[in-house]
Amino acid sequence: MISSVKHIFSSFTSSYFRRFSQLPIIKNSTLKPLLVSTTQSFTFSPKEQCNIEVLDEKDRLEASQRIKIGIYFATWWALNVVYSIYNKKVLNALPYPWLISTLSLACGSLMMLVSWVTRIAEPPKIDFEFWKTLVPVAVAHTIGHVAGAVSISKVTVSFSHIIKSGEPAFSVLVSRVLLGEMFPMLVYLSLLPIIGGCTLTVATELNFNMIGFMGAMISNLAFVFRNIFSKKGMKGKSVSGMNYYACMSMMSLFILTPFAIVVEGPQMWSNGWQTALAQIGPNFVWWVAVQSIFYHLYNQVSYMSLDQISPLTFSIGNTMKRIFVIVSSIIIFRTPIQPINALGAAIAVLGTFLYSQV
């Protein structure tokens, strides 16, 4: 009985595989199974193993660098949002942008001097040649800083930063004309929505002010020059990005102070300060302190990131940061915005995104 069952099972399986298998059934095959006598050929030589380890280490370093830059950018953007909000509140109460710009630089310079004296930060080893190359950077930084403060004192934070989102256009223009850099056609095409969006925003702005608009445009151009000069000045230097910005702040303070005194003057500052204190109260002093401290911190972090990236990437990060500033300011100050105005801002931001991709 067992023999017949085996015979039936054998017949069934043979019939089944003939029907569904595309491979022929080999009967009484004389072929022997493949045997692997050694695994030596499946192992890597010491040189190959070393190359794989080098590639793995390179991937890890690149991933670590991307994370590091991402943290820099996130911190930079958050600090800038806080500064922008308090800077506008201070300028609303005390509309003297030259004074506020001077106080911001003075606060940052004092912070770094204290950190160097107390050895919280390592003092930089610099010479006369370093200060000489820093002059154009400090001049551009001073112009951009004051122009930005003038813009914020005249228009809303959101409008000023929408205009400043056109910085990539200035960056490409300056890099092309002065540095002779060539860019793919897609880069130039990506600038069209940035320019178009900014133009639409300007045309539909409810509280348009020419001084505020020109201040934002001048700030754009000045900061592009600052970024390019900074990158050149930092090449081959042992000075960190943090100390580089600290030295630049001190030189900018030295440049700005006499101009601030001439343009506005101590008498206007004294009267304006008393008026602001009477209207706001003691909290006004804290507003000034916060905006000054956060101004230095956000710029310091941005220069720490500039130490790691190109000027164009820095401009992209600076523009993407404006999204957070624009949205935050609209919410906090309850800025009225028309749909067509919002469309212009969205187009400009979209252009910035496309620019960053190409």
Side-chain angles (χ1 to χ4, degrees), residues 230-284:
S230 294
K231 196 64 178 180
K232 283 188 172 183
M234 292 170 72
K235 282 185 177 179
K237 304 292 184 181
S238 59
V239 181
S240 66
M242 179 178 66
N243 284 335
Y244 189 90
Y245 175 73
C247 294
M248 183 180 65
S249 292
M250 295 173 189
M251 181 170 283
S252 293
L253 177 62
F254 177 78
I255 295 170
L256 176 59
T257 301
F259 287 97
I261 293 174
V262 171
V263 174
E264 293 175 347
Q267 185 62 44
M268 293 177 64
W269 294 343
S270 177
N271 294 336
W273 188 270
Q274 295 300 324
T275 302
L277 280 176
Q279 292 177 348
I280 308 300
N283 283 338
F284 176 73

Side-chain angles (χ1 to χ4, degrees), residues 184-229:
M185 181 56 65
L186 289 177
V187 171
Y188 296 107
L189 292 176
S190 69
L191 298 179
L192 296 179
I194 296 177
I195 298 172
C198 290
T199 303
L200 183 61
T201 302
V202 171
T204 59
E205 173 62 25
L206 295 174
N207 300 308
F208 178 80
N209 181 282
M210 181 57 71
I211 296 177
F213 171 72
M214 292 304 299
M217 295 290 283
I218 294 171
S219 179
N220 268 347
L221 186 60
F223 282 146
V224 167
F225 276 107
R226 181 198 67 176
N227 296 340
I228 293 175
F229 291 150

Side-chain angles (χ1 to χ4, degrees), residues 26-213:
I26 301 176
K27 296 182 179 180
N28 301 324
S29 173
T30 58
L31 297 177
K32 296 181 179 180
L34 176 65
L35 300 177
V36 179
S37 60
T38 177
T39 60
Q40 184 176 1
S41 60
F42 293 94
T43 60
F44 295 105
S45 66
K47 184 177 181 180
E48 291 172 331
Q49 185 67 29
C50 181
N51 290 337
I52 292 174
E53 291 176 356
V54 168
L55 290 175
D56 289 343
E57 181 65 21
K58 184 178 179 181
D59 290 340
R60 285 194 294 268
L61 289 175
E62 289 179 353
S64 175
Q65 183 71 2
R66 285 194 295 269
I67 294 172
K68 183 179 179 181
I69 293 175
I71 293 174
Y72 278 151
F73 272 24
T75 307
W76 171 24
W77 297 346
L79 292 172
N80 188 258
V81 167
V82 176
Y83 161 72
S84 297
I85 299 303
Y86 278 92
N87 179 243
K88 180 60 176 176
K89 293 175 72 172
V90 169
L91 286 170
N92 283 343
L94 183 64
Y96 297 116
W98 291 79
L99 170 62
I100 302 305
S101 300
T102 304
L103 291 177
S104 300
L105 293 173
C107 178
S109 299
L110 179 62
M111 289 170 61
M112 288 308 301
L113 285 174
V114 171
S115 66
W116 288 341
V117 171
T118 58
R119 294 290 172 171
I120 296 176
E122 187 67 24
K125 297 178 180 179
I126 51 180
D127 52 17
F128 176 77
E129 187 64 26
F130 170 82
W131 289 107
K132 184 179 177 181
T133 59
L134 191 63
V135 172
V137 184
V139 170
H141 179 70
T142 304
I143 295 173
H145 179 36
V146 174
V150 170
S151 176
I152 293 296
S153 69
K154 297 295 183 180
V155 296
T156 62
V157 175
S158 56
F159 176 76
S160 180
H161 279 271
I162 290 170
I163 301 306
K164 288 181 180 181
S165 66
E167 185 175 320
F170 287 92
S171 184
V172 170
L173 178 65
V174 171
S175 298
R176 177 70 185 88
V177 174
L178 296 185
L179 303 180
E181 294 185 15
M182 298 294 293
F183 300 95
M185 181 56 65
L186 289 177
V187 171
Y188 296 107
L189 292 176
S190 69
L191 298 179
L192 296 179
I194 296 177
I195 298 172
C198 290
T199 303
L200 183 61
T201 302
V202 171
T204 59
E205 173 62 25
L206 295 174
N207 300 308
F208 178 80
N209 181 282
M210 181 57 71
I211 296 177
F213 171 72

